[in-house]
Amino acid sequence: DGAEPGRSEVRFWVYMRKEAFPFERCVLSIDLMLRGKAVQRLACTTRTAPSFPRPEDEAADALLIASSSLTRQEYEFYRALFSSLALSHDVWDIELHHGISVDARTSRRHRNSWVGRYQHGLVVCSLGDRSQLSLLHVDDLLTHFLEPPADMARMRRSHADVLLTERRLKESLRHRPRAASSLSPLRGRGGGGGGGVDDGEE
């Protein structure tokens, strides 16, 4: 009769043991049953990702921004690197939080955001491809290294001082008289003077 077939949405939680390793992957196989027979099978891959600290929790020394391309082995490498530097670290997972600077679903800042929590700290981005860099707003990168407004004003003053010093140096060099050359011209054989250069044989 041309009527669209019925559709239904099924949601379910996948729980993992607390002993599960971060960024461990596992494959889920889901069967759609109709009258006791499997009529459709869906296979998908899921992975574990560390939760991000709450706003009231103290931020770590470093932040690792991770994507789905980060493997467990790579994460173990980063963890060993942070440990060797005596740095604690937190993890911000792009897929878990649907973005980096803002939530891609709402285009708004996350309620529990990493921005502003790791001021002047180490931030490492482990992204799958360059296109994911667009998820990181430039302003967030700048404010990470500058603490407005004090640091911004300090940077502008320092920049102005550098430009002024450079300008004064160029002016002093421009007005400095040139020193006369103390080098004597080289003379070849037959020049009639002593101290010349003779590159031949008599």
Side-chain angles (χ1 to χ4, degrees):
D1 56 359
E4 294 185 3
R7 299 182 59 183
S8 61
E9 182 178 350
V10 179
R11 295 185 180 185
F12 57 91
W13 290 94
V14 177
Y15 293 93
M16 293 189 176
R17 296 178 301 177
K18 62 180 181 180
E19 295 83 5
F21 291 100
F23 300 103
E24 190 71 57
R25 286 171 167 79
C26 63
V27 178
L28 298 178
S29 180
I30 305 172
D31 292 333
L32 177 61
M33 307 296 294
L34 178 63
R35 299 173 183 173
K37 294 183 179 180
V39 296
Q40 186 176 358
R41 173 169 292 178
L42 174 65
C44 59
T45 302
T46 185
R47 66 189 179 94
T48 60
S51 59
F52 189 71
R54 297 171 299 177
E56 59 269 22
D57 296 334
E58 183 178 358
D61 303 317
L63 175 67
L64 174 62
I65 299 179
S67 67
S68 59
S69 64
L70 184 69
T71 64
R72 174 188 167 189
Q73 290 75 14
E74 291 172 335
Y75 174 69
E76 291 297 333
F77 167 80
Y78 282 116
R79 187 166 66 172
L81 177 62
F82 292 139
S83 178
S84 66
L85 298 174
L87 297 175
S88 59
H89 72 281
D90 295 329
V91 177
W92 178 272
D93 188 82
I94 298 177
E95 276 69 30
L96 180 62
H97 300 286
H98 304 281
I100 301 180
S101 290
V102 297
D103 192 322
R105 300 169 299 179
T106 62
S107 298
R108 296 181 179 180
R109 185 76 75 188
H110 301 84
R111 290 185 177 180
N112 184 16
S113 176
W114 64 272
V115 178
R117 296 188 62 178
Y118 302 88
Q119 208 72 29
H120 304 286
L122 177 63
V123 175
V124 178
C125 293
S126 178
L127 306 180
D129 53 72
R130 293 183 179 180
S131 63
Q132 291 181 328
L133 285 175
S134 61
L135 301 174
L136 176 60
H137 293 181
V138 177
D139 291 343
D140 295 338
L141 188 61
L142 293 177
T143 55
H144 169 69
F145 295 102
L146 300 174
E147 199 170 9
D151 279 4
M152 181 67 76
R154 188 182 304 113
M155 188 191 71
R156 289 174 178 171
R157 288 196 302 269
S158 300
H159 188 226
D161 292 341
V162 170
L163 291 178
L164 180 59
T165 302
E166 182 182 10
R167 188 180 302 112
R168 289 176 177 174
L169 179 60
K170 288 182 178 180
E171 290 178 356
S172 64
L173 292 176
R174 187 180 302 111
H175 297 293
R176 180 181 299 178
R178 295 184 178 181
S181 176
S182 59
L183 298 178
S184 300
L186 298 180
R187 295 182 180 180
R189 183 173 56 184
V197 175
D198 191 349
D199 55 357
E201 294 182 359
E202 294 293 343

